[in-house]
Amino acid sequence: MKILINAGPTRESIDPVRFISNHSSGKMGYALAQAAVDAGHEVTLVSGPVTLQEPSGLTDFIRITTAAEMADVMKRLFASADLTILCAAVADYRPKIIASSKLKKTAGDMFLELERTEDIALSLGKVKRPDQMLVGFAAETDNVEFNALKKLEAKNFDWIAANRVGIPGSGFASDTNMIKLYCSDGRMLDLGCSAKLELARVMIRTLTEKK
Ligand code: C5P
């Protein structure tokens, strides 16, 4: 199977030295890429800036920095993927204007005007063919199930992996995670709490199973 995975955060510049980003470590996406390679698939990994080592055996490895770059690459590669897993924590907003020189501090407060970035999941969900599978992640601090099911439908995902963030042992930067998989056909699989690579192996097995 041809599998496309994105991982890590994006960075949205404010000026030449500052940016907006988030706590995504890329660990879950990299674990999924490794698990998919180990299961014998052709894997392309598109990664935001993280400190992890490139998984071995990838068919292609593409580094991006901004949400706009991530959107360009994902939209270009999507058509040739059988399964796409969106694990990246893409910034939802970026500064409307990127200052060309370093902003100087003043005594007062400062206000940044932000604009929406493209919702890549939504764009891909709109052009998804019946033979393709699209899987998203929902990192939530509250109402995990409700929010995950809402996203599953809104973004035309086939599956969504819901994980709690903001508690020890689950979510960003942690080596372990707690995942529940929700399918568009109504199934729910509780994968429990375990190492990200273990969860990744179970996810890849589930997502590539013949129906
Ligand atoms: O709506 P929310 O951002 O929480 O949804 C999370 C899912 O959407 C993840 O799979 C993430 O990779 C994807 N996403 C995206 N483009 C964005 C923001 C999130 O593809 N701009």
Side-chain angles (χ1 to χ4, degrees):
M1 232 185 200
K2 285 191 175 170
I3 304 185
L4 173 64
I5 300 173
N6 70 7
T10 64
R11 282 182 186 172
E12 313 303 326
S13 286
I14 298 169
D15 69 13
V17 296
R18 305 181 182 95
F19 57 81
I20 296 175
S21 191
N22 60 66
H23 290 297
S24 172
S25 64
K27 282 180 185 169
M28 193 64 222
Y30 275 56
L32 282 163
Q34 192 63 67
V37 168
D38 293 347
H41 299 287
E42 254 178 71
V43 183
T44 295
L45 177 61
V46 184
S47 177
V50 297
T51 54
L52 302 171
Q53 239 196 310
E54 178 183 335
S56 54
L58 292 176
T59 300
D60 206 358
F61 180 59
I62 300 166
R63 288 183 193 276
I64 57 84
T65 304
T66 67
E69 289 165 5
M70 178 69 91
D72 283 349
V73 173
M74 293 303 288
K75 286 193 287 189
R76 180 162 55 80
L77 300 179
F78 183 65
S80 55
D82 303 306
L83 165 63
T84 298
I85 308 177
L86 304 174
C87 201
V90 181
D92 294 319
Y93 294 90
R94 65 173 163 235
K96 200 159 189 173
I97 296 163
I98 303 176
S100 54
S101 42
K102 187 182 170 189
L103 295 171
K104 291 292 173 202
K105 65 173 166 287
T106 61
D109 294 338
M110 166 178 190
F111 298 91
L112 264 183
E113 195 173 352
L114 304 177
E115 65 183 10
R116 276 301 311 263
T117 57
E118 179 172 350
D119 188 326
I120 302 164
L122 199 65
S123 302
L124 299 182
K126 281 184 187 154
V127 298
K128 187 181 70 170
R129 302 185 307 263
D131 63 303
Q132 289 182 299
M133 200 185 265
L134 183 62
V135 180
F137 269 76
E140 304 287 346
T141 53
D142 316 276
N143 301 324
V144 180
E145 175 167 350
F146 177 80
N147 287 317
L149 291 176
K150 215 165 71 177
K151 273 176 208 174
L152 178 76
E153 197 180 331
K155 301 188 191 228
N156 197 20
F157 288 151
D158 298 282
W159 289 88
I160 193 159
N163 66 290
R164 275 295 295 272
V165 293
I167 54 168
S170 182
F172 294 140
S174 172
D175 284 321
T176 56
N177 212 354
M178 221 160 28
I179 286 185
K180 281 184 182 162
L181 279 183
Y182 297 91
C183 184
S184 56
D185 68 9
R187 274 179 293 161
M188 191 280 276
L189 302 176
D190 188 347
L191 307 190
C193 181
S194 92
K196 285 182 174 172
L197 190 55
E198 269 317 300
L199 289 169
R201 293 197 197 287
V202 179
M203 273 189 69
I204 293 296
R205 217 178 302 134
T206 307
L207 301 175
T208 57
E209 246 166 31
K210 292 266 176 297
K211 279 191 199 149

